[in-house]
Amino acid sequence: MRSRTAIWFECRIRYEKTMEDGMQKKVTENYVVDALSFSEAEERIIEEMSSYVSGEFDVADIKIAPYGEVFFADSDTADKWYKAKLAFITLDEKTQKEKRSTVNYLINAGSLNGAVKNIDEVMSQSMIDYIIVSVNETTLMDVFEYKKKEKNDKPEYEQQ
């Protein structure tokens, strides 16, 4: 369980990518990181992408992501990210009327059906009634969750 209250940020990265045919093409890719501020989000996405992108890249945009929570999957086939909108149904004790509130989630899955299954698995652990309003595939390439560095963690180049 994390003790820090982080915010999810969507980051857009622009760089020259070598395509399968060997040609260089300028691409823009979307990623998500959790951070405490815009400046930490920029620092984290630069750190994460430095190991994936050879050459220069630009952080073209950073914005607060609209996700209440991110559900990660352990499966190797879970290579896509889905945005799910859930409506929670509560009963107003004074008026006895149903009240709906919506929350967006980011779901890691290999397919649309897998995303719905993952939602149901996570939500089955709660007692609250919910309705899946929508599930849509996103253009996100990956999500980088904050991991606290151990005291003895050294950069790879120093681990020899």
Side-chain angles (χ1 to χ4, degrees), residues 27-154:
V27 296
T28 303
E29 296 177 343
N30 297 315
Y31 296 87
V32 171
V33 298
D34 69 341
L36 299 172
S37 65
F38 280 93
S39 56
E40 183 186 352
E42 182 177 28
E43 182 181 306
R44 291 219 39 244
I45 196 63
I46 289 170
E47 181 183 322
E48 293 287 352
M49 295 310 297
S50 293
S51 59
Y52 295 105
V53 177
S54 60
E56 293 184 25
F57 63 90
D58 295 321
V59 179
D61 188 32
I62 298 177
K63 62 184 177 186
I64 294 176
Y67 312 119
E69 201 171 335
V70 176
F71 300 149
F72 293 88
D74 292 329
S75 170
D76 290 338
T77 60
D79 59 350
K80 296 179 181 131
W81 290 94
Y82 295 86
K83 179 180 177 180
K85 184 177 192 175
L86 274 60
F88 295 100
I89 305 159
T90 55
L91 191 63
D92 187 317
E93 291 182 20
K94 292 179 184 174
T95 63
Q96 295 299 310
K97 291 185 179 180
E98 279 189 359
K99 182 179 167 189
R100 288 187 182 205
S101 57
T102 59
V103 178
N104 291 317
Y105 293 95
L106 190 58
I107 315 295
N108 186 210
S111 66
L112 182 66
N113 289 341
V116 171
K117 182 178 173 232
N118 291 353
I119 293 167
D120 287 336
E121 282 178 16
V122 171
M123 296 311 296
S124 69
Q125 299 169 13
S126 74
M127 298 295 287
I128 194 163
D129 291 328
Y130 69 96
I131 295 171
I132 298 174
V133 177
S134 65
V135 179
N136 299 300
E137 188 175 343
T138 69
T139 60
L140 295 174
M141 300 300 289
D142 208 350
V143 174
F144 300 109
E145 185 176 27
Y146 176 80
K147 287 183 177 47
K148 187 175 180 180
K149 291 185 179 176
E150 299 295 322
K151 287 184 181 181
N152 60 355
D153 270 2
K154 292 182 181 176

